[in-house]
Amino acid sequence: MIGAGAIGITTALTLQRAGFIVSIYAQDPPLQTRSARATGSWTPDSRIALGEAVSVRFEDAWRRLASETFAAFQAYTSMTSRPVEWVDRFVLSDTQPDPQRAEFDRRDSHGFFKCSLHLANSSPLMSFIPRDQSPFPTPYAWRSRSLTFNLGVLIPLLLEEFQRAGGRLEACTFRTPADLSKIRERLIANCTGWGARHLFGDKSLTPIRGQIAWLPAQTNLRYGLLYGDLRIVCRQDGIVVQHSREGDDTGWNDASETPDAEEATAGLKALATLQASMKERTRKVPMLRRALNADIF
């Protein structure tokens, strides 16, 4: 196995359970991979491919595998360390839902594959929060629950299971396909993710979505929020703040890894404005904060 990100480790575990003896070769340790700093949201069809490139066969396989993995994740939700947990998700809007959906789709000029409707049973249906019960300043607000992966806990847990079953993790850098000759095993699984673009010259891998900013974790905050261009996910290891000014087109084919202070600041300002409005609203009507039975500040 080459690659020690979340996909690499879970693939290695899957192979172990099928009876294979597995070694992982990777340049970065698991908690320093890109996937360790992902949002941690359960979004199995999130920009994995362009719609025009997806066949019926792929879609059928995707639906089957997504359903199986979703079921497997449930075993982790009962653990006290909360590697995977159900959290509240709020969607806020200043407009009726149909216009909001149209605006969201309009800003996806590339036509990403979207198939979450086929997994309708994987999350509770969204419920509308009546205006007189909502602490949010927007005219419309919905509440649901979604799986969140606390990757700082989940990845070490998976790695421990892998090594306990006899798996071996070895630091190794591959700069060209010829470097794979360093591996003594004859069967190789490629889980290099973004690294495959450089290692194998796979130009079909396209960076998107810009960057993610992080705030220090707050143990009393356990929710996710979507409001226009702003996305918030509260995890055990930090608060994810993402400001996607161009919707799903944000960061298209921008491979720069230089932190964008302007983009991060825009997201924090949007969050601060929303939070100030929420505090003012709940100050005037204190019962609204209690109505959701959750600390959303």
Side-chain angles (χ1 to χ4, degrees):
M1 178 74 56
I2 54 174
I7 298 300
I9 294 176
T10 51
T11 302
L13 282 170
T14 301
L15 290 172
Q16 279 184 329
R17 293 163 184 166
F20 289 87
I21 299 173
V22 185
S23 296
I24 297 177
Y25 299 89
Q27 175 177 296
D28 299 315
L31 287 178
Q32 293 182 22
T33 60
R34 286 177 174 82
S35 57
R37 303 303 287 174
T39 61
S41 300
W42 163 252
T43 53
D45 69 340
S46 177
R47 294 159 292 275
I48 60 172
L50 299 180
E52 63 184 16
V54 172
S55 65
V56 173
R57 181 179 179 183
F58 175 89
E59 187 170 335
D60 289 343
W62 174 88
R63 185 183 302 111
R64 175 177 55 81
L65 292 173
S67 297
E68 290 176 1
T69 54
F70 179 82
F73 292 140
Q74 303 311 304
Y76 294 95
T77 61
S78 63
M79 296 182 177
T80 55
S81 60
R82 305 194 336 257
V84 182
E85 62 180 333
W86 286 95
V87 299
D88 286 332
R89 290 296 175 98
F90 299 97
V91 176
L92 313 182
S93 177
D94 295 315
T95 63
Q96 291 278 8
D98 288 345
Q100 182 194 36
R101 180 77 253 179
E103 169 64 13
F104 186 83
D105 290 339
R106 183 185 67 78
R107 293 189 299 168
D108 172 14
S109 64
H110 296 90
F112 290 106
F113 167 64
K114 294 183 178 70
C115 203
S116 288
L117 292 177
H118 293 292
L119 292 179
N121 294 328
S122 66
S123 296
L125 295 176
M126 301 202 74
S127 59
F128 179 71
I129 304 174
R131 181 71 176 129
D132 62 351
Q133 298 178 24
S134 172
F136 301 108
T138 57
Y140 305 97
W142 293 264
R143 180 182 187 175
S144 183
R145 290 178 69 77
S146 179
L147 281 181
T148 294
F149 302 94
N150 288 305
L151 296 172
V153 178
L154 179 61
I155 289 178
L157 184 69
L158 298 177
L159 183 60
E160 180 185 0
E161 181 180 344
F162 168 73
Q163 293 176 323
R164 191 168 57 245
R168 186 171 59 91
L169 175 63
E170 182 175 322
C172 191
T173 299
F174 304 99
R175 293 185 173 84
T176 71
D179 290 339
L180 295 176
S181 61
K182 301 175 184 178
I183 298 177
R184 61 177 176 270
E185 289 85 357
R186 300 295 300 273
L187 178 62
I188 300 174
N190 174 23
C191 289
T192 53
W194 170 245
R197 180 179 171 108
H198 307 283
L199 178 58
F200 298 105
D202 186 354
K203 303 305 181 183
S204 69
L205 288 168
T206 305
I208 53 175
R209 292 300 301 278
Q211 70 172 17
I212 293 175
W214 286 80
L215 297 176
Q218 298 184 45
T219 56
N220 61 318
L221 298 184
R222 295 170 63 180
Y223 72 98
L225 184 148
L226 171 62
Y227 176 43
D229 300 332
L230 181 66
R231 288 171 173 81
I232 307 296
V233 178
C234 298
R235 285 179 17 191
Q236 291 184 39
D237 56 349
I239 300 174
V240 177
V241 180
Q242 190 165 34
H243 190 242
S244 303
R245 287 174 286 190
E246 300 175 31
D248 272 1
D249 283 353
T250 300
W252 175 264
N253 208 25
D254 180 2
S256 173
E257 295 188 32
T258 302
D260 187 338
E262 181 179 350
E263 184 175 330
T265 300
L268 295 177
K269 285 183 176 179
L271 175 58
T273 299
L274 176 63
Q275 184 183 40
S277 298
M278 291 165 60
K279 286 186 175 181
E280 177 64 17
R281 179 166 169 75
T282 54
R283 183 186 67 80
K284 294 179 179 179
V285 191
M287 65 163 289
L288 294 180
R289 183 167 179 170
R290 296 192 299 271
L292 291 178
N293 192 31
D295 189 343
I296 56 175
F297 296 93

